[in-house]
Each structure stands twice: as structure tokens, then as C-alpha cells.
Amino acid sequence: MLTLTKKTTRPKPLRVLGLDLSLSPGIAAIEVRNRQPYLVACSSVATSTDDPDAVRNYIVETFVAQFVRLHRPFDHVVREDFTAGRNKRATQTIFSSWAAADRALYSYGYQAADLKPALAPTSVKRLVTGNGKAEKAEVAAAVRRLLRLGEDYVFKTGYDDSDACAVALAYLIREGLIDTEEVAA
């Protein structure tokens, strides 16, 4: 007599690309397995104010494209919303970096989700740290805790890479895709 056993399958890991866009952007790939987030990779690049915007945007585009090529596939691509610039020039540079990142994403068949509601900077901070006015070092500490990284894990100067992690984590928390209770203890 033949006995059949039911094959159990594990859910497919979920991979999120988080973007903190400016002319010195941060980017992060976070994978969720069994409702736990794991850092795949994160990075940032600083562009120089000595370069014209066209060069700085090219750097942003190639940086995003290289990261996407190395760490794809992604199930979700999320970016922090831009709420208001200090001035016209600040607004211009942010949206130019968005366009540069969009070109890179589109070349691999991705686009940043049009999140409703958008992930405003204060929302990202509140979801990750509990404080919508948290400083960058506090956000980095919360990212280390949520990703179970050691306190000795060093983010790059400026924390743009940890900010990108925070964007992805905020999305995962808001959508109920990861467990955070155990980590908070």
C-alpha cells in the first residue's frame, strides 16, 4: 500500500528595496523570511557639490542601477516621500534624484510604489523608532535592533544607508509583514 505524505512548503521570501533619495542617496535590500527581516545589503553614495547636477544625477542613476542588478529580484520598491523643500533648489535636487533613480529602476523593470498614504519622513521615524522626530543616530540604532545587527555594525557617514533600511522597515511594519514585538524586548 502506498502512503502519501503532504509536502509542506515554506513561503517564498519577500524582498523589499528601500530608497532614501537625494543627490547623496541611500539604498537597502531587506528580505523577509518567516516574518523576520534580514539585511541583504545597504549602501549610499555621496555626490560632490563641485559637480554639475547632470553628473550628480548620473552618479545616482548608475549607483541605483548597479545595486538593483546585484541584489534583485524585488517584490516591492518603496521610497520615502518628499514633503517640502527648504527652498526651490532643494526641491529641484530631490526630484532630479527621483528621476535618476526611476530611470535605473525602469531599466530593470521596476518602479517605486505610489504608496497611499505615502511614507513621510516623520512616519518612517515613528514606525521604526516610536518617535517621529528621532535623530539619525536613533534611527540607525532602531534599524540595528530590528535587523538584529550588532551594536558594532557601522553605517556610512551621514546615515543615508540606515535611512534607506528604515524606509523599507517602516513599509514592512506598516503593512504588517514583519513581527516587531520580540525585537522590542
Side-chain angles (χ1 to χ4, degrees):
M1 181 171 167
L2 181 65
T3 305
L4 298 176
T5 58
K6 184 178 178 182
K7 182 179 176 183
T8 58
T9 58
R10 291 186 176 163
K12 176 183 167 267
L14 175 75
R15 192 170 281 200
V16 176
L17 179 69
L19 298 162
D20 179 41
L21 293 173
S22 67
L23 288 179
S24 293
I27 192 167
I30 294 179
E31 188 168 277
V32 178
R33 297 186 302 270
N34 299 320
R35 299 189 52 81
Q36 295 296 311
Y38 295 89
L39 179 62
V40 174
C42 66
S43 190
S44 64
V45 65
T47 65
S48 172
T49 57
D50 292 338
D51 288 328
D53 286 355
V55 171
R56 296 176 80 189
N57 283 303
Y58 178 74
I59 292 167
V60 170
E61 182 178 352
T62 57
F63 169 71
V64 171
Q66 180 181 20
F67 190 93
V68 169
R69 183 182 63 79
L70 290 173
H71 302 292
R72 66 186 166 169
F74 299 102
D75 299 293
H76 302 281
V77 178
V78 295
R79 67 176 154 215
E80 185 176 64
D81 191 33
F82 177 69
T83 52
R86 295 178 306 276
N87 55 48
K88 180 180 168 184
R89 174 73 179 136
T91 301
Q92 178 185 26
T93 61
I94 294 297
F95 286 126
S96 70
S97 71
W98 277 34
D102 284 347
R103 284 190 302 273
L105 292 168
Y106 281 10
S107 68
Y108 287 96
Y110 295 106
Q111 68 181 49
D114 184 19
L115 299 175
K116 302 289 186 211
L119 280 172
T122 55
S123 296
V124 170
K125 291 174 184 179
R126 182 182 46 76
L127 286 163
V128 173
T129 70
N131 175 5
K133 295 181 179 183
E135 298 294 326
K136 286 186 173 280
E138 294 173 84
V139 172
V143 166
R144 282 187 200 93
R145 180 180 49 78
L146 288 165
L147 292 174
R148 295 164 316 285
L149 302 172
E151 288 185 30
D152 59 340
Y153 185 90
V154 178
F155 290 107
K156 290 187 176 183
T157 301
Y159 293 110
D160 294 310
D161 50 353
S162 70
D163 287 350
C165 290
V167 170
L169 289 166
Y171 171 77
L172 292 166
I173 292 166
R174 186 180 82 180
E175 299 302 314
L177 297 171
I178 61 173
D179 295 326
T180 58
E181 298 81 30
E182 294 174 14
V183 178

Short mmCIF file of all heavy atoms in Angstrom, two decimals, residues 15-42:
data_model
loop_
_atom_site.label_atom_id
_atom_site.label_comp_id
_atom_site.label_asym_id
_atom_site.label_seq_id
_atom_site.Cartn_x
_atom_site.Cartn_y
_atom_site.Cartn_z
N ARG A 15 11.22 40.26 -0.73
CA ARG A 15 12.37 41.17 -0.79
C ARG A 15 11.90 42.58 -1.12
O ARG A 15 11.17 42.79 -2.08
CB ARG A 15 13.38 40.69 -1.81
CG ARG A 15 14.71 41.45 -1.67
CD ARG A 15 15.79 40.84 -2.49
NE ARG A 15 16.33 39.67 -1.82
CZ ARG A 15 17.52 39.15 -2.09
NH1 ARG A 15 18.29 39.70 -3.00
NH2 ARG A 15 17.95 38.09 -1.45
N VAL A 16 12.35 43.54 -0.29
CA VAL A 16 11.96 44.94 -0.44
C VAL A 16 13.20 45.78 -0.70
O VAL A 16 14.22 45.63 -0.02
CB VAL A 16 11.23 45.44 0.82
CG1 VAL A 16 10.91 46.92 0.72
CG2 VAL A 16 9.96 44.64 1.06
N LEU A 17 13.08 46.68 -1.67
CA LEU A 17 14.12 47.67 -1.94
C LEU A 17 13.65 48.98 -1.34
O LEU A 17 12.57 49.47 -1.66
CB LEU A 17 14.32 47.83 -3.46
CG LEU A 17 15.38 48.85 -3.88
CD1 LEU A 17 16.78 48.37 -3.50
CD2 LEU A 17 15.30 49.11 -5.38
N GLY A 18 14.45 49.54 -0.43
CA GLY A 18 14.14 50.82 0.19
C GLY A 18 15.05 51.91 -0.32
O GLY A 18 16.26 51.70 -0.44
N LEU A 19 14.47 53.06 -0.64
CA LEU A 19 15.23 54.17 -1.19
C LEU A 19 15.06 55.43 -0.34
O LEU A 19 13.94 55.81 0.00
CB LEU A 19 14.76 54.49 -2.61
CG LEU A 19 14.92 53.38 -3.65
CD1 LEU A 19 14.03 53.64 -4.85
CD2 LEU A 19 16.37 53.28 -4.08
N ASP A 20 16.18 56.05 -0.01
CA ASP A 20 16.20 57.36 0.64
C ASP A 20 16.90 58.27 -0.36
O ASP A 20 18.13 58.29 -0.42
CB ASP A 20 16.94 57.29 1.97
CG ASP A 20 17.01 58.64 2.65
OD1 ASP A 20 16.01 59.38 2.63
OD2 ASP A 20 18.08 58.97 3.20
N LEU A 21 16.11 58.98 -1.17
CA LEU A 21 16.68 59.65 -2.33
C LEU A 21 17.01 61.11 -2.10
O LEU A 21 16.23 61.86 -1.52
CB LEU A 21 15.72 59.53 -3.52
CG LEU A 21 15.56 58.10 -4.04
CD1 LEU A 21 14.47 58.03 -5.09
CD2 LEU A 21 16.88 57.59 -4.61
N SER A 22 18.19 61.46 -2.57
CA SER A 22 18.70 62.82 -2.62
C SER A 22 19.86 62.76 -3.60
O SER A 22 20.04 61.72 -4.25
CB SER A 22 19.18 63.28 -1.24
OG SER A 22 20.33 62.53 -0.86
N LEU A 23 20.64 63.81 -3.70
CA LEU A 23 21.81 63.73 -4.56
C LEU A 23 22.96 63.00 -3.87
O LEU A 23 24.04 62.85 -4.42
CB LEU A 23 22.23 65.10 -5.07
CG LEU A 23 21.28 65.67 -6.12
CD1 LEU A 23 21.73 67.06 -6.58
CD2 LEU A 23 21.15 64.74 -7.31
N SER A 24 22.70 62.50 -2.65
CA SER A 24 23.59 61.56 -1.95
C SER A 24 22.68 60.49 -1.35
O SER A 24 22.37 60.49 -0.16
CB SER A 24 24.39 62.28 -0.86
OG SER A 24 25.30 63.18 -1.44
N PRO A 25 22.20 59.57 -2.20
CA PRO A 25 21.15 58.64 -1.80
C PRO A 25 21.62 57.44 -0.98
O PRO A 25 22.80 57.06 -1.03
CB PRO A 25 20.59 58.16 -3.13
CG PRO A 25 21.80 58.16 -4.02
CD PRO A 25 22.58 59.38 -3.59
N GLY A 26 20.66 56.87 -0.28
CA GLY A 26 20.86 55.60 0.40
C GLY A 26 19.93 54.57 -0.22
O GLY A 26 18.86 54.91 -0.74
N ILE A 27 20.35 53.31 -0.16
CA ILE A 27 19.56 52.23 -0.75
C ILE A 27 19.74 50.98 0.11
O ILE A 27 20.82 50.77 0.69
CB ILE A 27 19.98 52.00 -2.22
CG1 ILE A 27 19.00 51.10 -2.96
CG2 ILE A 27 21.40 51.47 -2.30
CD1 ILE A 27 19.21 51.12 -4.48
N ALA A 28 18.68 50.18 0.22
CA ALA A 28 18.76 48.97 1.05
C ALA A 28 17.89 47.87 0.47
O ALA A 28 16.79 48.14 -0.04
CB ALA A 28 18.32 49.28 2.47
N ALA A 29 18.38 46.65 0.57
CA ALA A 29 17.60 45.46 0.23
C ALA A 29 17.38 44.68 1.52
O ALA A 29 18.35 44.34 2.21
CB ALA A 29 18.34 44.61 -0.80
N ILE A 30 16.12 44.45 1.84
CA ILE A 30 15.76 43.70 3.04
C ILE A 30 14.88 42.54 2.63
O ILE A 30 13.93 42.71 1.85
CB ILE A 30 15.06 44.61 4.07
CG1 ILE A 30 16.06 45.65 4.56
CG2 ILE A 30 14.47 43.79 5.22
CD1 ILE A 30 15.52 46.63 5.56
N GLU A 31 15.21 41.37 3.14
CA GLU A 31 14.44 40.17 2.84
C GLU A 31 13.69 39.73 4.08
O GLU A 31 14.23 39.78 5.19
CB GLU A 31 15.38 39.06 2.37
CG GLU A 31 14.65 37.83 1.86
CD GLU A 31 15.59 36.89 1.14
OE1 GLU A 31 15.85 37.13 -0.06
OE2 GLU A 31 16.06 35.94 1.79
N VAL A 32 12.45 39.30 3.89
CA VAL A 32 11.63 38.82 4.99
C VAL A 32 11.45 37.32 4.82
O VAL A 32 10.97 36.85 3.79
CB VAL A 32 10.25 39.52 5.01
CG1 VAL A 32 9.38 38.97 6.14
CG2 VAL A 32 10.42 41.03 5.14
N ARG A 33 11.85 36.60 5.87
CA ARG A 33 11.65 35.15 5.93
C ARG A 33 10.99 34.84 7.26
O ARG A 33 11.48 35.26 8.32
CB ARG A 33 12.99 34.41 5.83
CG ARG A 33 13.71 34.65 4.52
CD ARG A 33 14.97 33.79 4.35
NE ARG A 33 15.97 33.94 5.39
CZ ARG A 33 16.97 34.83 5.36
NH1 ARG A 33 17.08 35.67 4.37
NH2 ARG A 33 17.85 34.87 6.34
N ASN A 34 9.87 34.15 7.20
CA ASN A 34 9.13 33.79 8.41
C ASN A 34 8.84 35.02 9.28
O ASN A 34 9.02 35.00 10.49
CB ASN A 34 9.87 32.72 9.22
CG ASN A 34 10.03 31.45 8.43
OD1 ASN A 34 9.12 31.03 7.73
ND2 ASN A 34 11.21 30.85 8.52
N ARG A 35 8.45 36.11 8.61
CA ARG A 35 8.05 37.37 9.25
C ARG A 35 9.19 38.07 9.97
O ARG A 35 8.99 38.97 10.77
CB ARG A 35 6.85 37.16 10.18
CG ARG A 35 5.62 36.64 9.41
CD ARG A 35 4.35 36.63 10.22
NE ARG A 35 4.06 37.90 10.86
CZ ARG A 35 3.48 38.95 10.27
NH1 ARG A 35 3.15 38.89 9.00
NH2 ARG A 35 3.22 40.05 10.94
N GLN A 36 10.43 37.68 9.67
CA GLN A 36 11.61 38.31 10.25
C GLN A 36 12.39 39.01 9.14
O GLN A 36 12.69 38.40 8.11
CB GLN A 36 12.52 37.28 10.93
CG GLN A 36 11.90 36.61 12.13
CD GLN A 36 11.62 37.61 13.24
OE1 GLN A 36 12.47 38.41 13.62
NE2 GLN A 36 10.40 37.57 13.75
N PRO A 37 12.75 40.30 9.34
CA PRO A 37 13.53 41.00 8.32
C PRO A 37 15.02 40.72 8.46
O PRO A 37 15.54 40.62 9.57
CB PRO A 37 13.22 42.47 8.61
CG PRO A 37 13.00 42.51 10.09
CD PRO A 37 12.35 41.19 10.44
N TYR A 38 15.68 40.58 7.32
CA TYR A 38 17.12 40.35 7.28
C TYR A 38 17.73 41.33 6.29
O TYR A 38 17.21 41.53 5.19
CB TYR A 38 17.44 38.93 6.83
CG TYR A 38 16.96 37.88 7.79
CD1 TYR A 38 15.68 37.35 7.69
CD2 TYR A 38 17.78 37.44 8.83
CE1 TYR A 38 15.23 36.39 8.59
CE2 TYR A 38 17.34 36.49 9.73
CZ TYR A 38 16.05 35.97 9.60
OH TYR A 38 15.61 35.04 10.50
N LEU A 39 18.85 41.92 6.67
CA LEU A 39 19.55 42.82 5.77
C LEU A 39 20.27 42.02 4.70
O LEU A 39 21.09 41.15 5.01
CB LEU A 39 20.56 43.68 6.55
CG LEU A 39 21.37 44.66 5.72
CD1 LEU A 39 20.48 45.69 5.03
CD2 LEU A 39 22.41 45.34 6.59
N VAL A 40 19.96 42.28 3.45
CA VAL A 40 20.68 41.68 2.33
C VAL A 40 21.89 42.56 2.04
O VAL A 40 23.02 42.08 1.98
CB VAL A 40 19.78 41.56 1.09
CG1 VAL A 40 20.57 41.07 -0.12
CG2 VAL A 40 18.59 40.65 1.38
N ALA A 41 21.64 43.86 1.87
CA ALA A 41 22.71 44.81 1.61
C ALA A 41 22.15 46.22 1.75
O ALA A 41 20.96 46.44 1.56
CB ALA A 41 23.27 44.63 0.19
N CYS A 42 23.03 47.15 2.08
CA CYS A 42 22.66 48.56 2.06
C CYS A 42 23.92 49.35 1.72
O CYS A 42 25.03 48.90 1.94
CB CYS A 42 22.06 49.01 3.39
SG CYS A 42 23.16 48.99 4.80
#
